Amino acid sequence: MTVAVPALAQTTTAPAQTSPSAAQTAAPAAAPAGADPAQAAPAEAAAAQPATASQVAQVVDSQWATYDKDGNGSLSKAEFSEWMVALKAQTDPSAKAESADTKKWVGTAFAQADTDKSKSLSKSEVTGFLTAGQG
């Protein structure tokens, strides 16, 4: 069973979806005030492309300290859960950390991301998980 992870501040995929494409699409850039909507379309189309592994790695690196609450260099299941729920909530405001579906989704995601089965996640495991399925 695979779990889809919401892209970093991007399009949410349903928890029941089977592809683990985490970094689905970048958040659309807002067109500047007074901009021609026809000119904004290419920017939005480009923003809809999946984030690259390098972009995902940069986001993981820049946000890591926010979620590594104890500063030990790895994420516990609780720390990972907080991050994934925050990402999911950006595109699905109805997502609640305490819901059974969300807890199941996060548990499955954590198990998939924890490739060394250490019960904690390194930056490389999180980055690898969020970029899984990208060609």
Side-chain angles (χ1 to χ4, degrees):
M1 173 179 187
T2 57
V3 174
V5 178
L8 303 172
Q10 292 121 23
T11 306
T12 299
T13 54
Q17 193 171 349
T18 58
S19 78
S21 56
Q24 291 283 327
T25 58
D36 179 357
Q39 291 178 343
E44 288 177 11
Q49 298 301 311
T52 66
S54 176
Q55 290 169 325
V56 171
Q58 288 175 347
V59 171
V60 168
D61 207 37
S62 70
Q63 293 186 4
W64 187 263
T66 301
Y67 295 100
D68 181 15
K69 302 290 187 193
D70 59 10
N72 69 351
S74 64
L75 297 183
S76 66
K77 188 173 182 180
E79 291 167 331
F80 177 77
S81 176
E82 182 181 345
W83 197 350
M84 293 302 106
V85 170
L87 289 174
K88 187 173 182 84
Q90 289 178 5
T91 54
D92 180 7
S94 68
K96 303 293 181 216
E98 63 278 355
S99 81
D101 285 344
T102 299
K103 287 179 181 180
K104 180 180 178 183
W105 174 78
V106 168
T108 303
F110 185 86
Q112 279 188 309
D114 188 16
T115 57
D116 66 3
K117 306 304 179 207
S118 65
K119 302 200 184 315
S120 66
L121 301 177
S122 66
K123 278 186 188 180
S124 63
E125 284 176 313
V126 172
T127 302
F129 175 72
L130 293 174
T131 58
Q134 290 186 352

